[in-house]
Amino acid sequence: MADAREPGRQLQVETHGLDVIGDADRKGTPRTLFWPWFGANVSVLGLSYGAFALGFGISFWQALAAGVLGILASFLLCGFVAVAGKRGSAPTMVLSRAAYGVRGNRLPSVVSWVLTVGWETVLIALATMATATVFTRLGWGGGTGTEVVALIVVCALTVAGGVAGFDLIMRLQTLITVVTGVLTVVYVVLVADHIHWATVRAIPSGSAQEFIGALVFMMTGFGLGWVNAAADYSRYLPRAASGRGVVGWTAFGGSVAPLLLLVFGLLLAGSSTTLDKAVAADPIGALTTILPTWFLVPFAVVAVLGLVGGAVLDIYSSGLALLSAGLPVPRYLAALVDGVLMIAGSVYIVFFADDFLGQFMGFLTTLGVPIAAWCGIMLADLALRRRDYDETDLYRPAGRYGDIPLLPLLLTLAATALGWGLVTNTAASWLTWQGYLLGPLGLGGRSGAWAYANLGVLAALALGLLGTLALGRARVRTQEDLPVSTGATTA
């Protein structure tokens, strides 16, 4: 991975798109993966996940266990996928062609693109609403005009990072890591006296089904939202880089901040039902209600930078996913297209949507199912391979990986159908059709005890993983027995 912090290195728009990163451009160590992953996940939104988890009707200790398990497990999945990057030198959704075929891979690429555009839209909307809330408390406006200006500034930062590419992102994430890390610690110190342990401890325990629902929500809200981009940064590492180091630094960088923020968020939300409910409407802005006035501006800085850090990684990877889906334009133009869609989606959330949390949970769970299916297939395919990817054949429909193989596509469709049948989203009116298998499988239907356990995400992940391990071994062995191809790679 090229070190963008290297003295004298001039910033420039990245020209790499779906092409393979040459050995001359592959530098750094797995440790450098810490910066983009920490910077993208140090957002104070992690505090709001405390309220989200308690919203499943579980106790503090249950929510803590669900959060720790969900965050660690999901970012470990990111770490495993990131290994493919250093083995194949290409973006995540290009490496996925080894499992899905060159044109067959367009299906997961489209899903990946929708997920990343959705995430960047959510993050930008949250940054805009948080800024408006801060300005309202300061008496500096806070109405529609403030929201418009905030939206323009935040979108400009995000689109600039996504268009410029890798070098600027690495520098930006390092800055975000330092600034947000320090200011978040200050926030924790300032609001610590709002924690009432006796109140937190008195929260009653929930059922096993509610615990599982919180666990899966944590997985989809954190690492599972990043698996489809996990190799986009490790592809810059030398081939000889430690695979364990790639897994470890990716998982550590992504999970350390959310884990710490979750604990404090649980304590705050568990201490105040008022704050707990306010987070549902404005997850970031609600956190300002317990701050002294003098820290509101620094809080706005840490909130916006943290959210922009995640959005920049999303818009970069969404551009790559769009290219992998078949759009024939340079990477920076794909990122610009995504930026336009991101702005439109943010406008809708900020100015027209009424129930943020319900729509957000519906979005995460619905797209979490096909992404979990893809992740299971991708990990199983990676585990079956004994050799590095043939980089030329990743771009040739007539190559060893094939064009449109049926097995991975059928597995994805079957896993998605199974998964959507086992999740419910009653808070989002456009998703009430889901959960159609809960009744036939004896799980109580859409209003039963298992309705909000989000079993569909785990089922899709398991079916994709186990199905590929059981049925895909012969296909992988046949591919690896072929001689290494030669020739230039093209998108």
Side-chain angles (χ1 to χ4, degrees):
M1 180 179 300
D3 188 354
R5 295 168 292 150
E6 181 181 333
R9 184 182 177 91
Q10 186 176 2
L11 282 175
Q12 54 187 343
V13 174
E14 181 185 3
T15 57
H16 290 299
L18 298 186
D19 53 311
V20 168
I21 304 301
D23 289 340
D25 294 325
R26 295 167 64 114
K27 302 176 183 178
T29 65
R31 184 175 298 153
T32 55
L33 293 173
F34 173 84
W35 297 105
W37 289 111
F38 185 89
N41 291 283
V42 72
S43 165
V44 291
L45 179 60
L47 293 169
S48 300
Y49 272 87
F52 298 160
L54 292 175
F56 281 86
I58 55 180
S59 69
F60 167 80
W61 294 111
Q62 286 178 311
L64 180 61
V68 171
L69 290 173
I71 291 169
L72 289 178
S74 60
F75 276 113
L76 274 174
L77 295 179
C78 286
F80 293 136
V81 173
V83 172
K86 74 110 179 175
R87 291 180 62 180
S89 320
T92 312
M93 298 313 298
V94 170
L95 298 170
S96 176
R97 293 174 177 176
Y100 280 87
V102 175
R103 286 195 299 169
N105 189 61
R106 291 181 179 179
L107 173 63
S109 293
V110 169
V111 175
S112 173
W113 173 68
V114 174
L115 178 65
T116 46
V117 170
W119 260 114
E120 68 202 45
T121 300
V122 166
L123 295 177
I124 293 305
L126 287 175
T128 301
M129 291 189 293
T131 303
T133 301
V134 168
F135 274 57
T136 298
R137 281 204 60 195
L138 289 171
W140 296 352
T144 303
T146 302
E147 291 175 332
V148 170
V149 173
L151 183 63
I152 292 172
V153 172
V154 172
C155 287
L157 288 172
T158 303
V159 173
V163 170
F166 180 78
D167 279 358
L168 180 58
I169 288 174
M170 290 301 290
R171 293 194 187 186
L172 183 63
Q173 296 298 70
T174 304
L175 172 65
I176 288 173
T177 296
V178 174
V179 175
T180 55
V182 171
L183 292 179
T184 300
V185 170
V186 176
Y187 175 89
V188 168
V189 172
L190 289 175
V191 301
D193 60 346
H194 288 268
I195 294 174
H196 306 291
W197 175 242
T199 304
V200 174
R201 189 173 53 187
I203 300 174
S205 298
S207 65
Q209 294 92 334
E210 290 167 332
F211 172 80
I212 295 172
L215 168 66
V216 177
F217 178 75
M218 287 294 174
M219 292 181 66
T220 55
F222 287 101
L224 268 180
W226 288 111
V227 288
N228 54 311
D232 292 351
Y233 303 93
S234 55
R235 65 183 174 134
Y236 281 88
L237 289 174
R239 299 177 193 277
S242 166
R244 290 184 179 180
V246 170
V247 174
W249 283 105
T250 298
F252 177 63
S255 63
V256 62
L259 286 172
L260 297 174
L261 291 169
L262 172 70
V263 173
F264 201 75
L266 286 170
L267 292 171
L268 285 175
S271 299
S272 170
T273 55
T274 301
L275 178 64
D276 192 13
K277 294 178 181 178
V279 166
D282 187 358
I284 305 298
L287 300 174
T288 68
T289 59
I290 55 177
L291 276 175
T293 304
W294 66 266
F295 192 70
L296 288 176
V297 172
F299 176 82
V301 172
V302 68
V304 169
L305 283 180
L307 294 167
V308 167
V312 166
L313 259 67
D314 275 320
I315 196 172
Y316 178 76
S317 292
S318 67
L320 293 174
L322 187 57
L323 295 180
S324 184
L327 186 68
V329 298
R331 183 205 59 80
Y332 56 88
L333 285 182
L336 194 59
V337 169
D338 289 347
V340 173
L341 295 175
M342 173 192 74
I343 294 170
S346 301
V347 168
Y348 170 75
I349 292 176
V350 173
F351 299 105
F352 300 102
D354 296 324
D355 176 19
F356 171 81
L357 183 57
Q359 307 299 324
F360 178 55
M361 293 180 70
F363 162 73
L364 283 184
T365 305
T366 299
L367 287 185
V369 168
I371 284 296
W374 169 87
C375 183
I377 291 171
M378 179 72 178
L379 289 176
D381 182 82
L382 181 64
L384 290 172
R385 297 189 182 279
R386 299 292 179 264
R387 300 179 182 177
D388 288 348
Y389 295 99
D390 186 314
E391 294 164 354
T392 299
D393 279 355
L394 287 171
Y395 302 85
R396 296 196 309 124
R400 73 185 64 223
Y401 302 121
D403 191 14
I404 309 177
L406 289 180
L407 174 63
L409 294 174
L410 292 176
L411 266 179
T412 301
L413 294 176
T416 300
L418 173 64
W420 281 344
L422 295 175
V423 298
T424 58
N425 285 293
T426 55
S429 59
W430 51 288
L431 296 173
T432 53
W433 54 270
Q434 295 176 349
Y436 45 80
L437 293 178
L438 291 169
L441 294 180
L443 297 174
R446 291 187 175 95
S447 59
W450 290 97
Y452 302 102
N454 293 327
L455 289 178
V457 176
L458 298 179
L461 178 64
L463 181 56
L465 179 71
L466 298 177
T468 303
L469 289 176
L471 304 174
R473 188 179 302 272
R475 176 173 176 260
V476 171
R477 291 291 169 267
T478 300
Q479 291 173 354
E480 295 194 331
D481 286 342
L482 295 173
V484 177
S485 58
T486 59
T489 61
T490 61

